[in-house]
Amino acid sequence: MMHVVIDGAAAASDPAELVSAAARCWRLARDEGAATQPRLHALLSERQCPMLAVAFDSLLHLYEQALDHPFAIGDTDSPSEDEVLLTNLLRSTGRVPPCVAARQGAASAFDCALCSMRILLTLAPKDIQ
């Protein structure tokens, strides 16, 4: 599998707030049994990056598959461990560390989703937060 390193300095912005907002939107939609992509699209349209809706949907699904647990969300004052981990993985330029992923096949797919999201964040508008 080929990977291209994305320079962290080239990223559009710090993904922490965006990851938390998207993850919380996605988790709430899932918990309510609602479609996740339309809700993500609405949230991300307000931030001028609706093209990230499908990517976030896939990334969060694969996160749950690779780590073998539901994505936990934090509250307005503090992000969850999952939000922090996903943000840190998006900030890094390497592959998913073996100690992070519980399921190898899903870990490979998750790694590809992370690479794709890094590229999309690099191409996104600079003021997406």
Side-chain angles (χ1 to χ4, degrees):
M1 181 180 306
M2 186 174 131
H3 291 275
V4 176
V5 175
I6 301 292
D7 179 13
S13 63
D14 183 20
E17 193 278 333
L18 186 65
V19 167
S20 289
R24 292 171 188 181
C25 174
W26 183 85
R27 174 85 274 147
L28 294 173
R30 295 263 310 197
D31 290 349
E32 294 170 4
T36 54
Q37 288 185 17
R39 291 218 184 153
L40 284 168
H41 187 272
L43 171 79
L44 296 168
S45 289
E46 295 171 1
R47 297 158 190 259
Q48 292 75 47
C49 56
M51 79 286 191
L52 296 179
V54 174
F56 264 118
D57 187 43
S58 176
L59 181 67
L60 292 163
H61 276 288
L62 290 168
Y63 182 101
E64 288 189 338
Q65 292 292 312
L67 278 76
D68 204 23
H69 72 265
F71 193 96
I73 56 172
D75 55 32
T76 55
D77 295 329
S78 61
S80 70
E81 288 182 25
D82 286 332
E83 290 172 272
V84 171
L85 176 59
L86 183 56
T87 299
N88 288 338
L89 290 170
L90 285 168
R91 284 180 181 148
S92 75
T93 57
R95 298 181 60 114
V96 176
C99 61
V100 170
R103 298 172 57 196
Q104 280 311 105
S108 178
F110 179 54
D111 189 52
C112 290
L114 279 169
C115 290
S116 294
M117 184 59 85
R118 288 176 189 136
I119 292 167
L120 289 172
L121 287 171
T122 300
L123 299 173
K126 298 283 185 218
D127 57 349
I128 57 176
Q129 294 189 26

